Amino acid sequence: MNVQQFTVIGAGQMGSGIAQVAAQAGMQVKLHDIEDAMVQKGLKGIEKNLTRQVEKGRMKGEERDGILQRIQGTTQLEEAAAKADIVVEAVVESMAVKTELFRRLDEICPPHTILASNTSSLPITEIAAVTKRPEQVIGMHFMNPVPVMKLVEVIRGLATKDEVYLAVEQLARKMEKTPVEVNDFPGFVSNRVLMPMINEAIYTVYEGVAEPEAVDQVMKLGMNHPMGPLQLADFIGLDTCLYIMETLYEGFGDSKYRPCPLLRKYVKAGWLGKKTGRGFYSYEG
């Protein structure tokens, strides 16, 4: 499949990152969000990232300008998706929001369009079931920050066709990513392994085993992790961590996925990590 028009729905950190790497790979990109302020913020973020590459000598100014010219922002879903070869959804991690969006995309998009979700934990099969093209629905789970991280988990739904998987695998390589095939289970591989580790790290703080700094130091110095699990949780967002743990707990019904009460407490307090200025660490100022 020759992807010319690449559409991203959701102009947040993940969506704008996906739009950037798609444009860098030479595709025409439409970046959609429901608010123009979010679209403009996403476009400015992309420009800032690319300018940083120019300043470091990794990219020429003309190359940056060419990439930016290939990205068009819009708040109109029909305009964004009506001619898309592939749509990658990167909206809030809510099944209700995603299924409603996929219903609308199914009506708007041409018959050949592949509908992909960047969900980090929700079942692709369930999202696909609300469309009339479940065989063309797939998961493309990028890692944050998208321009830097090489992995894309490619998740087959129950009905996903082999040709669609192969097209998305080829597309990921074109975007200079490494696609890894994963089947449709809660949390896939990345978050099924990562989130229980983060949750267990939170339990060690909750039970008074060690302070957050000590837990992170053990994992960095002892296990050679580039970032400790609690700092990583703050960067991901504690609300996102809680949501994924709840998805795992509900999906498997296994007590080992029970979210730590301290995680719930922090989320209820609005201590969501870096984005709110406070989580397991303070980021104010």
Side-chain angles (χ1 to χ4, degrees), residues 143-191:
M143 303 294 124
N144 189 25
V146 178
V148 176
M149 302 295 277
K150 290 295 181 188
L151 174 67
V152 177
E153 284 185 304
V154 182
I155 305 110
R156 290 176 181 261
L158 198 59
T160 308
K161 286 195 302 190
D162 287 346
E163 304 93 277
V164 170
Y165 172 80
L166 291 169
V168 168
E169 183 183 57
Q170 185 181 22
L171 179 63
R173 293 193 196 283
K174 185 178 177 181
M175 296 164 79
E176 297 188 359
K177 302 300 178 191
T178 303
V180 176
E181 183 177 359
V182 178
N183 284 320
D184 193 16
F185 282 84
F188 316 130
V189 171
S190 57
N191 281 318

Side-chain angles (χ1 to χ4, degrees), residues 201 204-205 210-218 228-231 266 280-281:
T204 62
V205 175
E211 293 296 314
E213 294 86 352
V215 175
D216 281 351
Q217 206 168 14
V218 166
L230 299 173
Q231 186 184 7
Y266 275 31
F280 287 98
Y281 297 93

Side-chain angles (χ1 to χ4, degrees), residues 14 21 56 223:
M14 292 300 292
V21 296
K56 289 179 179 176
M223 285 69 188

Side-chain angles (χ1 to χ4, degrees), residues 25 42 47 61 69 78 109 163 169 178 183 206 222 225:
E47 185 174 3
Q69 283 168 11
E78 289 80 5
C109 292
E163 304 93 277
E169 183 183 57
T178 303
N183 284 320
Y206 177 61
H225 289 195

Side-chain angles (χ1 to χ4, degrees), residues 10-17 19-20 31-33 35-49 68 71 73-75 274-276:
Q13 192 172 8
M14 292 300 292
S16 59
Q20 179 183 321
L31 178 61
H32 170 276
D33 211 298
E35 292 180 14
D36 187 57
M38 284 299 295
V39 174
Q40 297 310 317
K41 185 180 177 184
L43 293 172
K44 279 181 186 144
I46 294 168
E47 185 174 3
K48 185 178 174 184
N49 285 345
L68 291 171
I71 307 171
T74 179
T75 56
K274 192 170 185 288
K275 62 187 172 185
T276 59

Side-chain angles (χ1 to χ4, degrees), residues 94-108:
S94 158
M95 181 57 81
V97 173
K98 289 183 191 296
T99 50
E100 178 55 32
L101 174 60
F102 271 73
R103 271 193 201 96
R104 291 189 65 198
L105 289 171
D106 191 35
E107 292 169 1
I108 296 165

